Amino acid sequence: MKIFRNPDVMWREEDEFKEQAYKGLGTGEDVAEIGTSILLHAGRMHSLNILGTEIWKLCDNRTIEEIVSALRQSFDVEEDVLREDVIEFLKNMKEEGLIHEE
Amino acid sequence: MKNELIPSSPLTVNWAITNKCNFGCSHCYSRSDTKEELSFDTVCGILDKLKKAKVFSVNFGGGEPLLRKDLLEIARCSADLGFAVSMNSNGFLIDRDMALKLKEAGFSKVGISIDSPRPEVHNKFRGIKGSHEKALSALVFLKGAGIETSISSVICKINIDDVDGLVEMALSSEVSNINFHNFKCSGLGFANKDILDLTPEEWRDFYIRAIELKKSVRNLRISLEDPIISQLGEKSNDTLVKGSVCGKLSLNIKSNGDITPCGFIPIVVGNICEDDLLVIWKNSPVLDKMRNKEPKGKCLSCESQSECLGGCTARTLALTGDMNNPDPHCWKK
């Protein structure tokens, strides 16, 4: 099953916050609360943190395993933990109509 | 109180592309605004600037945007740059042919202003015979052309007893949205506030009914973008900011390029032709003040303050002269 972003979603990365989050990652800070992207769909606004943003960007005709594998190159997290996070995140995104599966 | 998220640039720009108008509405906020207009080339240059600033959407207003002869070309230019393009219109000039042209030019959404389900009330308020019928037919033509439609109604004395009727009209027009705008007291709205604006108690009763309708009506989104509804346990918007969204998620451009926080706040914070949008967005003392309002008076002890942040900044500023004051529409004692 491949994952795709909903093309109707308007989105952008927030460069300043992204830089701040990557800097924090480098020094071991908790960056989970820093929104590095904004999504707008059906009148609703969403903000994603650095991991959420990277997952979102990878929703371009990839399977969950391919997304997890790509993320492992950037994030030093155990594969099983990462997979769980990705699955949970994608479930929420699907419920919001932000992604779809084919 | 700092807001939890202020994006690096506006998500939406509302743009009074012309102040010419074929109507004479009693509550118009822009009748005394500048008549100066920017050239097509300047408009396209500004659109480039907005694109570089990563703005998502451009919403044209005015005045009546269709009185600008090159509106379709401007829309095409906007759509080609990837903006979501919308406008607010009185609908008088939208027939089947124009609706198709608007679709072709790239408009994805058009909102039509209708203040009452009763034609005679709307026509008198808007100052034009037959305008109600034209507005309703515009919605049919737009929908037929594949454009998402909405109705905008400014709530005031003329329609306060017709809220259910407005919703029924929206349902029968098959629009996706009806926006109940709070009365802002700007421009002619300020001059006519004593005969048009509601009392705080009337606002409370209106919002109680509107929230009931919002929760019970299917196939229609009812928007109530007024921060004071947090008094009733409701969120005023689906964004991540609290209080007014103006100056936090959106900006307004006047027909001469002047930038204001919203169409109802007459404070110019820069000019889009001359200034760097991102510098204004980040450094404007006025925007900073709007984003970090300091509660005063009854807001200091109000449990809803953290959601409402003092209510509508435009209205509060217009009626009290200090944006930090409690919203004059708030019914809390």
Side-chain angles (χ1 to χ4, degrees), chain A residues 12-14 16 42 45 47, chain B residues 7-10 54 221 238 240:
Chain A
R12 73 185 193 195
E13 288 190 88
E14 293 287 294
E16 200 176 315
M45 179 179 167
S47 175
Chain B
S8 54
S9 67
K54 296 186 174 183
R221 191 152 22 130
D238 280 331
L240 301 171

Side-chain angles (χ1 to χ4, degrees), chain A residues 10-17 38 40 42-47, chain B residues 5-11 54 56 84 221 238-240 249 282:
Chain A
M10 294 186 280
W11 67 281
R12 73 185 193 195
E13 288 190 88
E14 293 287 294
D15 296 336
E16 200 176 315
F17 294 122
I38 291 172
L40 204 56
R44 292 197 70 179
M45 179 179 167
H46 309 264
S47 175
Chain B
L5 174 77
I6 299 296
S8 54
S9 67
L11 305 185
K54 296 186 174 183
F56 286 148
R221 191 152 22 130
D238 280 331
T239 71
L240 301 171
L249 300 179
K282 202 170 177 179

